[in-house]
Structure formats: C-alpha cells, structure tokens
C-alpha cells in the first residue's frame, strides 16, 4: 500500500479544487455537464452559483501559489490516476499538458470566442456563425431590455460560461448581471494553467438561441481532428445529446458513423447509436476546413436540420486531464498527436 504525506494530499486537493471548478460543482463559475471536468471546455450550461466558503477561498489562494508544472502534475494524477511524463510525453493528455505550458501563439486569438469568429468567417464563411445579438462594453438594464425574448449569454475567455435563456420572463437583469460579473472576475488561466487564456480580455456577449425545427437545442458535435499528415485528417466525433436536459449522453463515432466503444470523461454512452445525420458529410467537410492549419484541434459544431454552425475551437480539451474508457485510448490518441 502506498502512503503519501498529508502535505502532498493537501497540495493535490488544492490543485483540483479551485473555486471555479469546485467538486463537480458549485463555485464562482458555471458547472460543467457530466463528462468533463468543470471549466475544462465542457461547453455546459451554467448554474447560478453560491458564494464560496472561507475554506474554499483559502484553498483557492493556496493553489495559485503552486508552480504550473507541479499543479498540472497533481491535477493529472488526481483525474487520470498517474503522474504525467512531461519530459517525453506519450499519451494524448500528456501532450495536451505540454500545450498548456507552451501554447502556440495562435491559440490566444482562436480561443477567444469573439475573435475566432473572424478566422471562421475567412475559412468557411460567416453563414456558419451563430448570429450575434450584442457585444456590449457593459451589461446594463438598457442592454437587457433590448435583448429578444430568447437568447444565449456567454463569455469569451473560458469554458462553461453559457447561460441559455428561453424566455426573458423566467429570468431578470439582476440574475444575469450577477452571473456575468462572476464570469468576468474569473481568471480562467488559474483553473487548469492553460497559459493561452492569460491575455484574453474578458467580454460578455449575446447570441441567437439556436434551435432545430422541433424547438430543441441541437446536439453538440465535438470533432477531435488529427491533421499534420497528407490527405484528410483523422477525425473522431463525440456527440453530446440533451446537454441542457436530464438525459445527457456522450457517444463517440468514426467518420462512417460506427458507434465506438469509447467513453470520454463521465459521459454515458447511449444504449443505441443515433441515426446517421443526413448531412454528416457537410459536418466533416466544415471540420476538415477549420482544422487544416493545425496538427490537432477539437472543432465544435452544431448541425440542426440541414445547417452547420460553428461552436468553438479547443486546442487543449479537458486541459490534459480528460479520462478515457478504455484508458488505452489515451495512448492511441497520443500516437496521432505530434
């Protein structure tokens, strides 16, 4: 039996329980959907959090003092079950951790959920962008009054900063203002030491609420795209269904829509595969265009009815601490990532 010193346990607990991702979780930011660690690019719906306790504030302050490499090593051990090899990374998660520490300068602009829209418009056309409603310098009652009845409030500088509003009568300016201010106060770099988030200027913005013909929020297509080789990229498709409901599932498919026996994070696989989307090839073509400048990127898309809309580009999914089932996928995907 391995016995670790209490100081190491305390440091690991501090590393994996910052205020913005507290124990799957309430804290000072949104709560992640099942399957991805909170704050780690889950794209989940948000909740209205409770103020952090004094003990939580102390732990949060303590974990900010840990060097990035130590913090990430402890976090990886906590989430994956082993310490990472950061000198000669082999697994997918280890190589993503290296990206956290040494990000490509392009990641900054392309991770910013507002600035990336310019890149997407150049690459595939602005018809694939979800229409913006407002990008205010400050969120005021006048901005709220001018919003349509249904919309989505987001922040540009991190993950899980999403609030879906189906009807303004079910919320208020005060509730949304409190949530927006909490987002803006969050220094997302400290959640998982993804260094490319450090220089993004936090902004709150409002988008059109995307619905399919049946009035439902469309499934989230997360396409893990491995390029850096001649020909088409290797793509694995994680489909998150009912993300904002009570029956959330995460299913992994290959490009031929074979339902793979793979689980990512804690997402539960559906009992049976979903029907093959009639416009799957359009989804794959859009992802291939958006990933062609990179050896790896996760391209998030929505595909309601016969349209394809851009969600985001993620270069460090799961922040390098994303569990796979079976664990061998971590090594298999590691071979695909340069």
């Amino acid at each position: 039996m391995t016995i670790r010193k209490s100081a190491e346990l305390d440091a690991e607990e501090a590393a994996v329980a910052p205020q913005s991702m507290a124990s799957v979780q309430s804290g000072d930011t949104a709560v992640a959907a099942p399957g991805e660690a909170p704050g780690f690019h889950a794209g989940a719906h948000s909740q209205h959090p409770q103020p952090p306790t004094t003990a939580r504030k102390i732990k949060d302050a303590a974990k900010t003092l840990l060097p990035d490499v130590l913090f990430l090593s402890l976090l990886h051990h906590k989430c994956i079950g082993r310490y990472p090899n950061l000198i000669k990374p082999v697994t997918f998660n280890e190589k993503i951790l290296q990206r956290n520490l040494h990000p490509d300068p392009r990641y900054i602009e392309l991770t910013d959920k507002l600035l990336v829209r310019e890149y997407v418009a150049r690459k595939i056309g602005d018809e694939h962008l979800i229409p913006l409603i407002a990008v205010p310098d400050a969120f005021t009652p006048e901005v709220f009054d001018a919003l349509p009845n249904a919309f989505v409030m987001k922040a540009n500088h991190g993950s899980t900063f999403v609030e879906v509003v189906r009807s303004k009568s079910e919320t208020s300016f005060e509730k949304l203002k409190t949530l927006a201010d909490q987002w803006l106060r969050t220094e997302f770099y400290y959640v998982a030491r993804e260094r490319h988030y450090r220089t993004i200027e936090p902004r709150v913005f409002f988008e059109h609420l995307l619905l399919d013909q049946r009035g439902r929020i469309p499934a989230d297509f997360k396409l893990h795209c491995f390029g850096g080789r001649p020909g088409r990229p290797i793509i694995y498709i994680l489909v998150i269904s009912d993300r904002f409901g009570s029956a959330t599932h995460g299913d992994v498919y290959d490009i031929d829509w074979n339902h793979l026996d793979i689980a990512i994070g804690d997402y539960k696989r559906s009992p049976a595969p979903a029907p093959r989307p009639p416009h799957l090839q359009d989804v794959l073509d859009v992802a291939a265009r958006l990933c062609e400048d990179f050896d790896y990127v996760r391209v998030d898309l929505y595909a309601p009815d016969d349209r394809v809309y851009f969600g985001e580009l993620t270069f460090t999914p799961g922040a390098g601490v994303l569990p796979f089932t079976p664990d061998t996928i971590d090594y298999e995907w590691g071979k695909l990532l340069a």
Side-chain angles (χ1 to χ4, degrees):
M1 178 176 65
T2 302
I3 300 176
R4 287 186 292 162
K5 296 179 180 178
S6 60
E8 182 181 347
L9 287 169
D10 290 344
E12 186 166 293
E13 172 64 17
V16 299
Q19 175 178 318
S20 56
M21 45 179 280
S23 192
V24 191
Q25 208 132 319
S26 63
D28 206 26
T29 67
V31 174
E36 294 192 34
F40 296 165
H41 323 302
H45 65 285
S46 62
Q47 293 182 355
H48 299 288
Q50 300 299 318
T53 64
T54 300
R56 171 60 56 208
K57 289 180 179 180
I58 293 172
K59 285 185 177 181
D60 293 343
K63 67 98 180 179
T64 63
L65 301 177
L66 294 174
D68 288 353
V69 171
L70 176 58
F71 176 93
L72 291 172
S73 295
L74 293 171
L75 186 61
H76 185 277
H77 181 268
K78 180 72 174 182
C79 297
I80 307 300
R82 56 178 173 268
Y83 290 105
N85 185 339
L86 295 177
I87 298 176
K88 293 183 178 181
V90 173
T91 68
F92 176 80
N93 276 306
E94 288 171 346
K95 292 181 178 182
I96 294 300
L97 289 181
Q98 288 282 34
R99 287 187 169 203
N100 290 1
L101 296 169
H102 308 287
D104 185 316
R106 295 175 296 174
Y107 295 173
I108 298 171
E109 178 179 350
L110 299 182
T111 297
D112 185 315
K113 292 176 175 55
L114 286 170
L115 295 181
V116 70
R117 294 172 63 91
E118 300 176 12
Y119 174 82
V120 172
R122 292 195 306 268
K123 293 290 290 186
I124 60 174
D126 57 11
E127 66 270 19
H128 294 287
L129 294 171
I130 300 173
L132 278 176
I133 298 172
V135 188
D137 291 330
F139 184 29
T140 64
E142 292 73 21
V143 171
F144 177 78
D145 290 342
L147 293 171
N149 184 56
F151 56 87
V152 180
M153 183 175 77
K154 297 182 177 181
N156 68 320
H157 68 297
S159 179
T160 74
F161 299 142
V162 180
E163 180 74 0
V164 174
V165 176
R166 287 183 172 270
S167 173
K168 286 173 70 173
S169 65
E170 297 175 357
T171 187
S172 67
F173 166 73
E174 289 75 19
K175 290 180 181 179
L176 294 183
K177 174 65 172 174
T178 297
L179 184 60
D181 287 347
Q182 290 169 343
W183 291 351
L184 294 175
R185 287 197 303 269
T186 301
E187 295 185 52
F188 197 75
Y189 153 72
Y190 282 113
V191 172
R193 307 300 172 93
E194 297 164 281
R195 290 177 174 175
H196 47 294
Y197 282 97
R198 284 190 296 190
T199 57
I200 297 176
E201 179 184 357
R203 299 285 302 274
V204 168
F205 63 99
F206 300 86
E207 282 184 347
H208 171 77
L209 175 58
L210 195 63
L211 300 173
D212 63 20
Q213 292 180 349
R214 290 181 285 182
R216 301 180 309 182
I217 296 175
D220 194 351
F221 285 68
K222 297 181 177 296
L223 296 100
H224 292 266
C225 303
F226 297 88
R229 57 182 55 81
R232 299 276 291 189
I234 296 173
I235 298 177
Y236 292 94
I237 311 164
L238 171 63
V239 181
I240 311 300
S241 56
D242 197 31
R243 166 149 249 160
F244 297 89
S246 58
T248 305
H249 288 90
D251 296 278
V252 182
Y253 300 88
D254 64 17
I255 60 172
D256 296 316
W257 207 247
N258 294 307
H259 194 202
L260 304 180
D261 190 13
I262 297 172
I264 297 179
D266 293 327
Y267 283 115
K268 293 182 179 179
R269 297 172 74 243
S270 300
R276 179 189 176 103
H279 54 310
L280 176 61
Q281 192 57 52
D282 293 338
V283 173
L284 294 170
D285 290 343
V286 167
R289 288 286 307 280
L290 289 174
C291 78
E292 63 187 6
D293 296 329
F294 311 101
D295 57 1
Y296 168 81
V297 64
R298 196 190 76 199
V299 179
D300 291 7
L301 302 172
Y302 302 99
D305 307 317
D306 60 348
R307 301 292 300 274
V308 180
Y309 288 96
F310 171 76
E312 65 179 270
L313 297 180
T314 300
F315 297 94
T316 52
V321 293
L322 187 60
F324 292 93
T325 305
D327 182 57
T328 53
I329 299 300
D330 200 2
Y331 292 86
E332 292 177 16
W333 283 22
K335 295 176 182 177
L336 299 176
L337 182 53

